[in-house]
Amino acid sequence: MFKGFYSAASGMMTQQRNVERLTNNMANVNTVGFKQDQASIRSFPEMLLDRVQREKGIDNHQIPVRKRIGSLNTGAYMQELTPNFTQGGLQSTDRSTDVALIDGKVPEGEAGQEGSFFFIVEQGDEVRYTRNGNFSLSNDGYLTTNDGHYVLGQNGTRISLTDDDFEISEQGVVTQNEEVVGTIDIAFLNNVEDLNKEGNGLYSVETPLPSAIGNAEVSYKINQGMLENSNVDSSQTMTEMMAAYRSFEANQKVMQAYDKSMEKAANEVGRIS
């Protein structure tokens, strides 16, 4: 009886985490550069149940015999959350500091999922990666994210500008007053499973990512005056959320049925009337 109880409980916990994932995706449907999380839900290994009983053998001797009952599912769990780095839609803003990163030639990683490109930003003494190109100019004249992280160019240099009257080519070359002031560096990661999500659209990895500049195996394009929207499909997310709620409620009813059965077994079975 308890085995079924635990299976239903694990199903409820899994769907609760699934609803939390979908809720977070839905909350960021309008967040620039946001990549929705995907869930990998797996089942625990099944158990094969046998029953040992005694049967009459030769000369009426009792011998133990194993009878197979069948398999028992032991529940499910959410194995991991991985971001989906498919390209989001583009919106025009006509602001010189807004930049959209558009995927071109993207090789597949070890798991069969395509890699992704990232802007490189400076956070303290470390670097972080983002798809959010909603940049601005800091008070000291550098191109930064809205959280104040410096956008890095080639060789890890900051991009210094006098005002917001500048141009960025499709290759990321920044020019102002007909002079090149830097090139926005773009990182490429083949296996996106290696990323650590840190919030506010930032990602980190254990080993710094190589630059995609000059890499003949990949291609990308930068569009100035545009932003990449979230890749969350709101209608699909709502459909999945309703399915997760129904699955949660179904497991909840199973638990309630087990609870009533255990209450009856504890209070009524074996009672002398």
Side-chain angles (χ1 to χ4, degrees):
M1 183 179 294
F2 281 106
K3 293 184 177 68
F5 190 90
Y6 293 141
S7 296
S10 70
M12 288 182 63
M13 293 171 63
T14 299
Q15 292 306 324
Q16 181 180 358
R17 290 192 62 191
N18 196 26
V19 168
E20 291 172 354
R21 171 188 70 89
L22 294 168
T23 302
N24 181 63
N25 287 344
M26 200 66 188
N28 287 280
V29 69
N30 294 319
T31 301
V32 176
F34 179 80
K35 301 301 179 183
Q36 65 177 342
D37 287 324
Q38 299 178 127
S40 297
I41 297 177
R42 299 285 186 269
S43 61
F44 289 109
E46 290 189 349
M47 296 174 60
L48 187 61
L49 299 182
D50 288 344
R51 179 182 63 204
V52 178
Q53 63 185 39
R54 292 185 175 275
E55 294 184 356
K56 288 184 179 181
I58 301 175
D59 299 330
N60 290 327
H61 289 296
Q62 297 289 327
I63 59 175
V65 178
R66 176 171 291 181
K67 296 287 186 178
R68 178 160 296 178
I69 298 175
S71 60
L72 174 68
N73 188 286
T74 54
Y77 68 102
M78 184 173 290
Q79 185 179 36
E80 61 180 351
L81 292 177
T82 55
N84 177 8
F85 280 98
T86 56
Q87 181 80 55
L90 301 178
Q91 64 170 328
S92 176
T93 64
D94 294 327
R95 293 180 67 244
S96 60
T97 53
D98 286 340
V99 183
L101 184 53
I102 303 174
D103 299 337
K105 180 181 177 183
V106 185
E108 290 185 353
E110 296 176 356
Q113 185 178 2
E114 288 187 348
S116 187
F117 300 96
F118 301 91
F119 298 110
I120 307 174
V121 299
E122 179 183 324
Q123 186 184 53
D125 297 330
E126 300 177 336
V127 295
R128 294 293 183 266
Y129 306 94
T130 185
R131 292 282 301 195
N132 188 343
N134 186 206
F135 301 145
S136 59
L137 285 181
S138 64
N139 293 331
D140 51 356
Y142 289 101
L143 190 64
T144 66
T145 67
N146 281 335
D147 293 325
H149 305 311
Y150 294 102
V151 179
L152 297 182
Q154 263 186 306
N155 302 318
T157 57
R158 299 174 182 176
I159 298 175
S160 178
L161 299 161
T162 57
D163 52 44
D164 59 1
D165 184 13
F166 62 92
E167 296 180 353
I168 302 176
S169 72
E170 292 185 348
Q171 290 73 41
V173 179
V174 183
T175 58
Q176 189 169 52
N177 299 324
E178 299 183 354
E179 292 185 3
V180 176
V181 297
T183 301
I184 297 177
D185 200 3
I186 301 297
F188 175 73
L189 178 62
N190 204 27
N191 298 310
V192 293
E193 295 85 0
D194 297 336
L195 286 171
N196 299 313
K197 203 170 187 178
E198 296 197 350
N200 295 325
L202 297 179
Y203 300 90
S204 65
V205 290
E206 293 183 1
T207 304
L209 300 181
S211 174
I213 298 177
N215 187 346
E217 297 182 357
V218 300
S219 64
Y220 63 89
K221 189 167 62 173
I222 292 178
N223 276 14
Q224 186 180 18
M226 302 189 76
L227 290 175
E228 180 187 9
N229 292 327
S230 162
N231 66 352
V232 177
D233 185 335
S234 57
S235 58
Q236 178 66 25
T237 302
M238 285 299 298
T239 301
E240 292 181 8
M241 194 178 297
M242 293 303 298
Y245 275 127
R246 287 195 292 268
S247 180
F248 180 91
E249 290 173 353
N251 281 284
Q252 187 180 41
K253 290 179 180 179
V254 170
M255 285 193 66
Q256 290 172 346
Y258 272 111
D259 185 58
K260 289 181 180 179
S261 298
M262 288 187 292
E263 181 183 2
K264 193 169 185 178
N267 297 329
E268 297 182 18
V269 174
R271 175 186 296 176
I272 298 176
S273 56

